[in-house]
């Protein structure tokens, strides 16, 4: 029933909350590289993929990584007692022994399929034995054998149910006053006349104490009338007590009163529950209701945090929910150093390049790992996206070198492919105003001031510019949710520049940040295409002063 389990879990590799092509492809590629180097990893995403990223994955025949909601500690991340439960048809005797062996006072009870049914505690067992009718039995032949350490003499029935009878006076008086029938469970020593009376009246079962043997003629009658017989070496009093303890434990368990938890429940929420309920033990189930074991509050600090690798970001606000409860083992990024801290030294690869994929390109070379054709295609897609086909001011010579080599490995003309990818990503069909704003959106804190910057890249700006008033209205509404300034930059890939929409109250902020007297909605900035290198630094410089 009970066994120790070694905690094993994949390392999760993921980008920021608003997945773009670089963050998604980098997660997939870095996960592949780490697996080649012997680490067991899995790529994940923190949100819905945009059309550009979907195009890249489809083109190179990759499935989208699974969605990751949070990395908070869960019950399954704790060393709770696995496979600790009783079967509903186990005996009270077996349950009592198991509670002593495990030193757990409340044990879950399951059915034949392992589904959780209820729980039983030592207190429940004691209470039932004291307060309930001790003359009834509802159990199995096997339970009686186990509890009595008995010997099978005759067996006809799997289930034993009836009234316990233990003769305490002479045979004639017993026969005159006690009726024996198919629901009678007789406990007796060498009272042969009473045994004869019982087998003739088809008793349910006869339990012989003190190692007594039944006469041959009585055995024959018992066989004829299908009377079960068990022999035990225990005396009468001990046997009677053990017979009561052989009852099914399911008849003693509690159902409604017991609080159980799911293995996927957040540990913090479970500890809050435990603080309110004041119970020490909680049955643990999975999503199908199968019992997995018992969580003891005292075990809560024997934890195994989820191990994670961050790509394309290193700021807490942009990362997964519950990051503080996870163990960050590595970060690979090309943005400014943010506010994420770790308890232990880690590998932190941060380089002033145009794309995270360029860093991964260097890492493949450093580890002498060959880049497969389809992975080269993903890496190429990330570089094209983040550098706007090498036109962004963030582009470096290393990015250019990487893109040239990766396109050769992938066997794809990166300029033609890049235009196809941008065209696929430019489609706004079916998207709401809010979805366009937040498709690639990041929050920044500057001197306790919250700034939100969205960016959408397109090869055809007419569709967005025609809805200018709607975008401004949405930004004004969202600014009321605690933003000092919020804006959407519409980057025209073909014109190599960006239009700006912003919340009206932040007009002075954007005017001063970009050195203008009176910036207008929809203003076009020639050559401005990088949020990281051109937009955010200007806002931070102004708001910091």
């Amino acid at each position: 029933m009970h066994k120790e389990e070694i905690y094993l879990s994949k390392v999760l590799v993921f980008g920021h909350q608003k997945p773009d092509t670089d963050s998604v492809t980098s997660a997939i590629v870095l996960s592949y590289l780490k697996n080649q180097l012997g680490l067991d990893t899995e790529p994940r995403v923190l949100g819905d993929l945009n059309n550009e990223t979907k195009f890249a994955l489809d083109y190179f025949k990759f499935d989208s990584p699974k969605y990751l909601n949070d990395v908070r500690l869960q019950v399954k991340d704790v060393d709770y007692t696995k496979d600790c439960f009783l079967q509903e048809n186990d005996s009270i005797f077996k349950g009592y022994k198991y509670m002593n062996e495990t030193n757990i006072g409340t044990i879950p009870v399951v059915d034949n399929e392992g589904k959780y049914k209820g729980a039983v505690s030592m207190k429940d067992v004691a209470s039932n034995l004291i307060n309930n009718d001790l003359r009834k039995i509802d159990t199995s032949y096997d339970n009686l054998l186990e509890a009595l350490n008995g010997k099978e003499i005759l067996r006809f029935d799997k289930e034993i149910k009836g009234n316990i009878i233990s003769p305490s006076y002479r045979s004639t008086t017993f026969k005159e006053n006690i009726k024996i029938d198919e629901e009678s469970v007789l406990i007796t020593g060498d009272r042969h006349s009473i045994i004869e009376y019982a087998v003739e009246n088809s008793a349910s079962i006869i339990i012989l104490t003190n190692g007594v043997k039944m006469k041959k003629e009585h055995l024959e009658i018992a066989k004829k009338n299908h009377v079960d017989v068990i022999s035990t070496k225990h005396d009468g009093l001990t046997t009677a007590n053990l017979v009561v303890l052989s009852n099914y434990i399911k008849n003693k368990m509690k159902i409604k009163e017991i609080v159980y938890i799911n293995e996927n429940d957040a540990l913090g929420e479970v500890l809050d529950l435990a603080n309110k309920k004041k119970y020490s033990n909680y049955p643990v189930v999975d999503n199908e209701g199968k019992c997995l074991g018992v969580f003891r509050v005292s075990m809560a600090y024997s934890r195994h945090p989820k191990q994670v690798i961050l790509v394309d970001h290193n700021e807490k606000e942009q990362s997964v929910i519950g990051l503080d409860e996870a163990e960050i083992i590595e970060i690979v990024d090309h943005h400014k150093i943010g506010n994420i801290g770790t308890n232990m030294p880690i590998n932190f690869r941060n380089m002033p390049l145009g794309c995270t994929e360029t860093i991964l390109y260097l890492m493949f070379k450093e580890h002498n790992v060959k880049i497969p054709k389809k992975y080269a295609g993903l890496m190429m897609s990330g570089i094209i996206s983040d550098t706007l086909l090498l036109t962004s001011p963030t582009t470096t010579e290393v990015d250019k070198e990487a893109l040239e080599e990766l396109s050769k490995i992938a066997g794809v003309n990166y300029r033609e492919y890049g235009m196809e990818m941008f065209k696929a990503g430019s489609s706004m069909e079916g998207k709401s105003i809010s979805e366009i704003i937040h498709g690639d959106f990041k929050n920044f804190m500057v001197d306790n001031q919250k700034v939100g910057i969205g960016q959408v890249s397109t090869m055809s700006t007419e569709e967005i510019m025609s809805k200018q008033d709607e975008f401004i209205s949405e930004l004004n509404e969202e600014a009321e949710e605690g933003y000092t300034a919020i804006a959407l930059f519409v980057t025209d890939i073909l014109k190599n520049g960006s239009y700006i929409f912003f919340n009206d109250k932040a007009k002075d902020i954007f005017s001063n940040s970009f050195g203008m007297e009176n910036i207008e909605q929809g203003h076009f900035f020639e050559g401005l295409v990088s949020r990281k290198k051109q937009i955010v630094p200007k806002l931070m410089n102004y708001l910091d002063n």
Side-chain angles (χ1 to χ4, degrees):
M1 292 182 189
H2 169 57
K3 64 182 180 182
E4 294 298 324
E5 180 176 297
I6 299 174
Y7 181 86
L8 295 173
S9 180
K10 290 182 180 291
V11 176
L12 304 177
V13 185
F14 52 84
H16 43 74
Q17 289 180 5
K18 298 294 180 180
D20 58 15
T21 303
D22 183 27
S23 70
V24 176
T25 60
S26 292
I28 295 171
V29 170
L30 182 56
S31 177
Y32 171 80
L33 175 59
K34 291 297 180 183
N35 290 342
Q36 295 302 113
L37 297 174
L39 190 64
D40 189 13
T41 72
E42 180 180 343
R44 294 295 190 95
V45 292
L46 307 187
D48 295 330
L49 305 189
N50 60 40
N51 290 336
E52 179 186 283
T53 306
K54 289 177 182 177
F55 174 86
L57 294 182
D58 290 343
Y59 191 96
F60 293 105
K61 295 180 170 51
F62 280 90
D63 293 328
S64 172
K66 294 179 182 178
Y67 173 71
L68 178 64
N69 182 64
D70 65 75
V71 291
R72 293 180 296 173
L73 283 163
Q74 297 170 285
V75 173
K76 63 184 177 184
D77 298 323
V78 176
D79 287 329
Y80 69 86
T81 307
K82 308 292 194 302
D83 297 328
C84 177
F85 45 76
L86 294 164
Q87 299 289 332
E88 61 181 344
N89 288 331
D90 284 341
S91 67
I92 297 172
F93 176 79
K94 187 172 184 178
Y96 176 77
K97 285 179 61 179
Y98 188 57
M99 289 180 202
N100 278 326
E101 290 171 4
T102 60
N103 198 31
I104 297 177
T106 300
I107 305 290
V109 179
V110 303
D111 62 16
N112 291 333
E113 296 179 351
K115 296 292 184 69
Y116 174 75
K117 303 295 290 184
V120 65
S121 69
M122 283 192 175
K123 181 179 178 181
D124 297 331
V125 171
S127 176
N128 275 279
L129 290 177
I130 293 172
N131 299 320
N132 288 0
D133 189 349
L134 303 184
R135 294 170 297 176
K136 301 285 186 181
I137 186 171
D138 180 11
T139 188
S140 67
Y141 191 102
D142 284 333
N143 280 353
L144 282 166
L145 273 180
E146 180 183 32
L148 296 169
N149 192 21
K151 179 181 178 182
E152 178 180 327
I153 306 299
L154 291 178
R155 183 198 293 241
F156 300 99
D157 301 300
K158 181 179 179 181
E159 308 287 331
I160 305 295
K161 188 173 183 178
N163 302 307
I164 300 172
I165 300 171
S166 182
S168 57
Y169 32 74
R170 64 181 186 173
S171 312
T172 52
T173 306
F174 180 85
K175 292 177 182 179
E176 289 172 0
N177 292 279
I178 304 297
K179 179 183 177 183
I180 294 286
D181 56 26
E182 293 179 352
E183 291 189 356
S184 298
V185 176
L186 178 67
I187 301 173
T188 185
D190 56 354
R191 308 285 294 275
H192 295 294
S193 59
I194 291 178
I195 292 173
E196 182 180 36
Y197 174 61
V199 295
E200 287 177 344
N201 286 278
S202 302
S204 173
I205 187 170
I206 297 174
I207 300 171
L208 302 170
T209 64
N210 300 298
V212 166
K213 293 183 179 181
M214 187 181 288
K215 291 182 178 181
K216 288 184 178 180
E217 58 267 32
H218 296 159
L219 272 174
E220 291 304 316
I221 300 172
K223 288 178 183 178
K224 179 182 176 182
N225 291 338
H226 288 188
V227 177
D228 297 297
V229 180
I230 289 176
S231 173
T232 178
K233 293 182 179 181
H234 293 299
D235 59 41
L237 180 59
T238 302
T239 298
N241 287 330
L242 291 174
V243 166
V244 173
L245 290 175
S246 73
N247 269 304
Y248 287 135
I249 204 160
K250 65 184 178 184
N251 296 327
K252 310 301 177 184
M253 71 181 180
K254 290 183 177 180
I255 301 174
K256 293 181 180 180
E257 298 91 336
I258 301 295
V259 178
Y260 62 90
I261 58 179
N262 190 290
E263 66 167 344
N264 294 313
D265 288 344
L267 180 60
E269 293 175 0
V270 169
L271 293 178
D272 288 342
L273 173 70
N275 190 46
K276 293 176 183 177
K277 295 294 184 180
K278 305 300 181 185
Y279 300 149
S280 298
N281 305 315
Y282 296 84
V284 180
V285 302
D286 63 14
N287 291 335
E288 282 70 49
K290 186 176 179 180
C291 186
L292 303 175
V294 175
F295 170 77
R296 306 173 74 178
V297 176
S298 60
M299 297 173 173
Y301 297 99
S302 179
R303 307 171 177 184
H304 302 279
K306 295 176 178 63
Q307 293 186 316
V308 301
I309 297 176
L310 311 186
V311 297
D312 200 35
H313 73 293
N314 69 102
E315 296 198 59
K316 190 185 302 182
E317 293 78 15
Q318 297 176 11
S319 199
V320 70
I321 296 170
L323 187 63
D324 287 340
E325 297 182 29
E327 179 186 356
I328 302 171
I329 65 172
E330 187 169 355
I331 299 174
V332 181
D333 191 19
H334 67 126
H335 297 92
K336 71 178 183 68
I337 295 177
N339 57 1
I340 288 179
T342 61
N343 294 325
M344 299 287 290
I346 66 168
N347 290 321
F348 190 161
R349 187 70 172 263
N350 186 272
M351 300 179 72
L353 299 174
C355 179
T356 307
E357 288 288 16
T358 307
I359 303 175
L360 300 184
Y361 164 80
L362 297 175
M363 292 173 66
F364 270 93
K365 287 189 170 298
E366 291 164 7
H367 291 287
N368 198 29
V369 176
K370 183 180 178 181
I371 303 174
K373 183 176 181 178
K374 62 185 297 189
Y375 284 91
L378 279 193
M379 298 171 76
M380 183 181 75
S381 303
I383 295 174
I384 291 171
S385 177
D386 252 27
T387 66
L388 289 178
L389 204 52
L390 304 179
T391 63
S392 170
T394 61
T395 306
T396 68
E397 289 301 316
V398 182
D399 296 305
K400 295 176 183 178
E401 174 194 324
L403 183 54
E404 290 284 354
E405 184 170 339
L406 291 167
S407 66
K408 291 177 182 177
I409 297 172
V412 175
N413 182 306
Y414 71 82
R415 293 193 180 279
E416 293 177 0
Y417 169 78
M419 297 308 287
E420 285 186 60
M421 189 178 76
F422 286 142
K423 184 178 179 181
S426 297
S427 175
M428 304 298 166
E429 185 178 351
K431 291 185 178 181
S432 68
I433 298 297
S434 178
E435 286 172 338
I436 294 172
I437 291 173
H438 291 280
D440 183 6
F441 187 90
K442 292 184 179 179
N443 289 317
F444 303 91
M445 295 301 296
V446 187
D447 194 23
N448 293 322
Q449 299 177 88
K450 186 178 180 183
V451 177
I453 303 296
Q455 185 175 20
V456 57
S457 298
T458 179
M459 295 175 67
S460 177
T461 59
E462 291 82 2
E463 185 178 359
I464 293 180
M465 299 307 292
S466 66
K467 297 180 180 179
Q468 175 173 319
D469 291 343
E470 294 178 54
F471 280 102
I472 296 169
S473 175
E474 180 71 21
L475 290 168
N476 281 327
E477 186 175 328
E478 294 198 19
E480 298 301 320
E481 301 298 323
Y483 284 98
T484 300
I486 185 172
L488 173 67
F489 286 83
V490 182
T491 299
D492 190 319
I493 297 169
L494 298 178
K495 292 175 67 175
N496 194 37
S498 299
Y499 298 89
I500 182 175
F501 302 139
F502 52 86
N503 64 306
D504 291 321
K505 290 183 180 180
K507 183 171 185 175
D508 288 344
I509 292 175
F510 288 106
S511 295
N512 291 317
S513 295
F514 289 96
M516 302 174 65
E517 283 190 15
N518 188 22
I519 194 171
E520 296 296 332
Q521 296 281 6
H523 178 82
F524 181 73
F525 293 96
E526 188 173 349
L528 187 142
V529 294
S530 173
R531 173 171 50 197
K532 176 180 69 174
K533 201 162 186 177
Q534 296 173 300
I535 299 171
V536 174
K538 291 181 183 296
L539 286 166
M540 288 189 167
N541 287 339
Y542 173 72
L543 292 172
D544 271 340
N545 295 327

